[in-house]
Amino acid sequence: MNFSLDLNIYDRPCLDLTLKDTDKTTIHVTTPTVELSEEFRANFSKMEEVLKGNGAETTRYLYNLAAKLINCNVDFIKVTGDELLKKYRMTVEDLILFYHSYVSFIEAIEKAKN
């Protein structure tokens, strides 16, 4: 009986995210856990509040949620919502761009599975 494993045929999907720190850190974001995916989908509508400039608490929550999503990466890099804001200089507009790109990334993976 023969078994084989060819790691060349498995290419894990990634969203390459380059941050705005002085090193231009690139993080290869992968797919989230089921629970995190559900949390993301349930709270995506909060973007509208942030766009209107309402709710510092909501904005903080969305930075923290982005950090959780970014922490699902193949580089073993961990970030916090506060670091995204301060160290990586992610503006609210950047946050919105990240979320939109992330949605496209997840949708592309879901379409590929079907």
Side-chain angles (χ1 to χ4, degrees):
M1 185 178 303
N2 292 330
F3 293 94
S4 68
L5 173 61
D6 184 353
L7 296 177
N8 293 298
I9 61 171
Y10 179 71
D11 189 22
R12 190 169 187 181
C14 291
L15 169 65
D16 297 342
L17 173 65
T18 303
L19 298 169
K20 294 174 20 178
D21 59 322
T22 55
D23 295 329
K24 295 186 178 179
T25 302
T26 297
I27 301 177
H28 303 91
V29 180
T30 61
T31 53
T33 62
V34 172
E35 294 83 12
L36 186 53
S37 180
E38 289 171 359
E39 179 182 355
F40 171 66
R41 290 177 195 276
N43 290 288
F44 189 73
S45 62
K46 290 184 178 183
M47 278 295 164
E48 192 172 314
E49 289 179 49
V50 173
L51 282 171
K52 291 178 182 176
N54 298 334
E57 186 174 316
T58 300
T59 302
R60 189 175 316 108
Y61 172 78
L62 290 174
Y63 273 100
N64 289 333
L65 179 58
K68 287 182 192 179
L69 295 169
I70 292 168
N71 287 340
C72 296
N73 67 71
V74 298
D75 307 295
F76 304 106
I77 296 173
K78 297 295 179 196
V79 297
T80 65
D82 193 50
E83 287 175 328
L84 290 177
L85 182 61
K86 296 176 182 169
K87 178 180 179 180
Y88 297 107
R89 301 187 324 262
M90 184 180 268
T91 65
V92 169
E93 291 81 11
D94 296 331
L95 183 66
I96 292 164
L97 286 171
F98 166 73
Y99 277 122
H100 282 287
S101 294
Y102 193 81
V103 167
S104 296
F105 168 64
I106 296 299
E107 287 175 348
I109 292 170
E110 288 172 350
K111 285 179 185 173
K113 288 181 180 179
N114 293 331

